[in-house]
Amino acid sequence: MEKKFAPIIVICCLLGVGVVLIGLGIGLYKTSTELNSSRRAPVKTTNVVLIVMDAFRADRVGQVRNGVPLTPFLDSLGGEAAVFRSAVSNCTWTRPSMTSLLTSLYVDTHQVICGALIKEDPDAFNALAPEIPTISTVLKTYGYNTLAIQTNGNLFPELGFSRGFDVYRTSSGADAAQVTDLALEEWNRARTSFFLYAHYMDPHLPYEPPQHYRDMMGYAPESLSNEERAVVENFRDYYNAHCEFMTGQIPSSPFAPLSDAGKEAVKLLYDASIRYTDDHVGRLVKTIREKAPDTLFIITADHGEHFWDHEFLGHGLTLYNCELRVPLFFLGAGVPPGEYDHVVELVDVLPSVAGLLGLPREHNWQGADAFRSEDKPVYAKTKSSNPRWNTDWEMVISEGKKLVLNHKDGTAHLFTFPQDGLESEDLGKEDPTTVGRLRELLRQHHLKNLQARRAKGKQAEMDTATLEQLRNLGYMN
């Protein structure tokens, strides 16, 4: 398949009008009010690189498959990086999750809800509202050259995510090697100080790592039949049918359940994609550190992934640990290294970056500086504004307990966090007092989010190419 790259260059004029060049097409985008404010001098001249590895399970870090480490580069950072072992996403869909990371706002506050085609909820929007400041708009006001390599159609410019970037290059087909190549290409043209955001899609469905990495992981198992191999290597149809069955859209899946060998083969391809991503993330970080040692790196994921955990596949449909927990590393300039065990969330990334750069905290941020905060409640929400997906979950973690509410079936589940990593022991019935306390935290959290809303919301139309990429990723039929 031919890889196509579309450079998007945003130039902010004195009148606050952004001119966006997308390939050979030209579109006009309004800049935010934050970008129109007078430029402020940075407190420190530290460069910033944000690396997001899509659908990257936290429990894959440090693991070995077929005698081969899955994450040798991330493993190598242990002595010099700050590693947050109990980091969670604020949503298990890409668009709401990344909005929370980029804005330090909870889902109920920014109101970006998953629903690529249908809007049924008056409080849900499919695009980032222009009134909301982001990490790129904030850093731009401090004189940063802002650059991005974007490979997820959920975050393409028409949905508001290019705002604040001088360069926002998009590709619906770039693999990890190409993302790193593009990022280094833009970095070599950047001026100091720079902010670079690179988004890697390889661990996401359809799990198509290069052959070398398949061989490295021992794919395919000898016990895998030819019939199941065909399903595994064209997994999207099986995946979609399984998700539709689990959400009550169809009475049964048209596919026979995969055998243990078939399930293991899917996981092998995923792990091969993890290793491929780790190798090229490592190449990006090492190259930049060599020439720009005064660089702060943040390496994380937007969410994890189900592989038959609690019978689910994929992401977005639950708030179980396999898709809620994410890796989170801070590396480089000013970072106090070590392993941090307290629970943090993606809304904490932006305040933490500001703290490391010596920048003042913006008044609207809802996250905390992960290096300064004590244990605090952390929250997540996953909901689809498309009623077909039948998804509406909330979660809070506080004082070693995790409460998960499924608003669709009215159930509540209580787990010990993080000790019960597989969430195999539901304590809800034996500890109603804790359930009640955590329910009240969620109620208060929702009220605070309603009060914190500042956006009028935005609905955006996506072009045919973007919609096709989302179909290939399993977001829609």
Side-chain angles (χ1 to χ4, degrees):
M1 181 177 67
E2 181 182 1
K3 310 295 186 185
K4 297 182 179 179
F5 307 105
I8 301 174
I9 303 176
V10 182
I11 304 175
C12 298
C13 301
L14 293 176
L15 296 178
V17 178
V19 180
V20 181
L21 297 166
I22 308 176
L24 297 178
I26 298 177
L28 296 178
Y29 289 79
K30 293 182 179 179
T31 60
S32 71
T33 55
E34 288 74 26
L35 293 186
N36 291 330
S37 62
S38 59
R39 178 172 293 179
R40 295 171 282 184
V43 179
K44 299 179 181 177
T45 57
T46 303
N47 306 306
V48 181
V49 176
L50 171 64
I51 296 170
V52 177
M53 306 172 295
D54 209 292
F56 197 112
R57 284 178 64 135
D59 65 3
R60 308 322 291 143
V61 176
Q63 297 302 307
V64 174
R65 164 82 75 171
N66 197 36
V68 176
L70 298 186
T71 55
F73 170 69
L74 293 180
D75 299 345
S76 74
L77 301 180
E80 56 180 334
V83 183
F84 289 88
R85 295 296 185 189
S86 297
V88 301
S89 178
N90 298 109
C91 184
T92 52
W93 300 101
T94 295
R95 203 178 309 163
S97 169
M98 286 303 300
T99 302
S100 288
L101 187 157
L102 297 172
T103 67
S104 189
L105 298 178
Y106 290 111
V107 175
D108 275 340
T109 303
H110 62 64
Q111 299 170 265
V112 177
I113 303 294
C114 183
L117 289 178
I118 300 174
K119 178 180 179 294
E120 298 287 341
D121 186 344
D123 290 326
F125 309 114
N126 74 347
L128 175 59
E131 301 93 339
I132 298 178
T134 67
I135 187 172
S136 55
T137 65
V138 170
L139 292 179
K140 190 170 179 64
T141 65
Y142 286 96
Y144 278 78
N145 188 190
T146 51
L147 322 163
I149 307 300
Q150 185 56 259
T151 53
N152 192 316
N154 277 295
L155 305 170
F156 274 14
E158 57 265 40
L159 297 165
F161 290 92
S162 63
R163 187 164 47 85
F165 283 99
D166 299 312
V167 177
Y168 200 85
R169 294 185 69 168
T170 66
S171 171
S172 60
D175 64 12
Q178 293 169 314
V179 171
T180 292
D181 289 345
L182 286 170
L184 291 175
E185 179 183 323
E186 293 300 336
W187 167 69
N188 279 318
R189 289 199 287 255
R191 66 177 188 273
T192 302
S193 298
F194 63 84
F195 166 56
L196 170 65
Y197 159 38
H199 197 109
Y200 291 80
M201 282 298 290
D202 297 81
H204 195 291
L205 188 79
Y207 318 133
E208 295 178 336
Q211 186 63 48
H212 170 66
Y213 288 85
R214 298 179 189 219
D215 296 341
M216 186 186 299
M217 294 297 128
Y219 183 86
E222 293 182 0
S223 56
L224 184 67
S225 68
N226 290 334
E227 293 79 8
E228 287 205 326
R229 182 167 184 163
V231 172
V232 168
E233 295 181 1
N234 297 276
F235 193 59
R236 187 185 65 180
D237 291 339
Y238 182 100
Y239 166 95
N240 281 333
H242 186 87
C243 291
E244 290 171 353
F245 167 66
M246 291 298 293
T247 52
Q249 298 176 49
I250 56 177
S252 62
S253 171
F255 293 88
L258 285 176
S259 67
D260 289 343
K263 293 177 180 179
E264 188 66 13
V266 174
K267 297 174 186 178
L268 278 169
L269 292 177
Y270 176 78
D271 285 348
S273 300
I274 292 287
R275 174 60 189 263
Y276 184 48
T277 301
D278 181 86
D279 281 354
H280 288 285
V281 166
R283 180 164 65 92
L284 176 65
V285 173
K286 292 172 184 176
T287 303
I288 294 177
R289 288 190 85 187
E290 183 177 344
K291 294 184 179 180
D294 57 339
T295 299
L296 167 64
F297 296 87
I298 307 96
I299 306 173
T300 190
D302 52 349
H303 52 72
E305 192 83 336
H306 272 285
F307 287 102
W308 292 276
D309 316 79
H310 301 273
E311 301 184 14
F312 284 90
L313 285 174
H315 54 268
L317 301 179
T318 80
L319 294 173
Y320 290 120
N321 286 339
C322 56
E323 58 172 329
L324 182 73
R325 298 185 69 169
V326 294
L328 179 59
F329 294 76
F330 287 80
L331 172 70
V335 172
E339 292 195 1
Y340 294 78
D341 293 327
H342 64 285
V343 186
V344 297
E345 48 192 336
L346 289 185
V347 292
D348 297 334
V349 169
L350 182 47
S352 302
V353 169
L356 291 168
L357 297 180
L359 304 181
R361 177 186 173 88
E362 299 288 326
H363 67 88
N364 63 297
W365 292 345
Q366 294 182 294
D369 185 335
F371 294 98
R372 299 175 182 270
S373 63
E374 302 291 335
D375 281 335
K376 63 182 178 70
V378 302
Y379 301 92
K381 178 187 182 79
T382 185
K383 181 179 180 180
S384 175
S385 59
N386 183 337
R388 291 181 60 234
W389 288 107
N390 200 32
T391 300
D392 188 358
W393 294 50
E394 284 186 288
M395 184 282 311
V396 59
I397 298 170
S398 175
E399 299 180 8
K401 292 294 189 293
K402 173 184 175 181
L403 178 69
V404 179
L405 299 182
N406 183 343
H407 294 299
K408 286 295 183 178
D409 64 14
T411 57
H413 307 280
L414 182 68
F415 305 104
T416 301
F417 186 93
Q419 291 82 0
D420 186 6
L422 299 178
E423 294 165 313
S424 57
E425 185 178 2
D426 189 345
L427 306 175
K429 292 183 178 179
E430 66 183 64
D431 193 357
T433 301
T434 298
V435 171
R437 177 178 67 84
L438 297 182
R439 278 185 182 272
E440 178 60 18
L441 280 181
L442 279 171
R443 188 187 71 83
Q444 294 176 10
H445 175 69
H446 181 65
L447 292 176
K448 290 177 182 177
N449 290 339
L450 294 180
Q451 295 169 351
R453 288 181 179 178
R454 59 178 294 181
K456 297 177 183 178
K458 181 180 178 182
Q459 290 298 120
E461 296 293 329
M462 287 171 279
D463 61 25
T464 301
T466 301
L467 291 174
E468 182 58 30
Q469 192 218 16
L470 294 181
R471 290 188 184 94
N472 289 336
L473 296 175
Y475 283 107
M476 62 188 73
N477 292 329

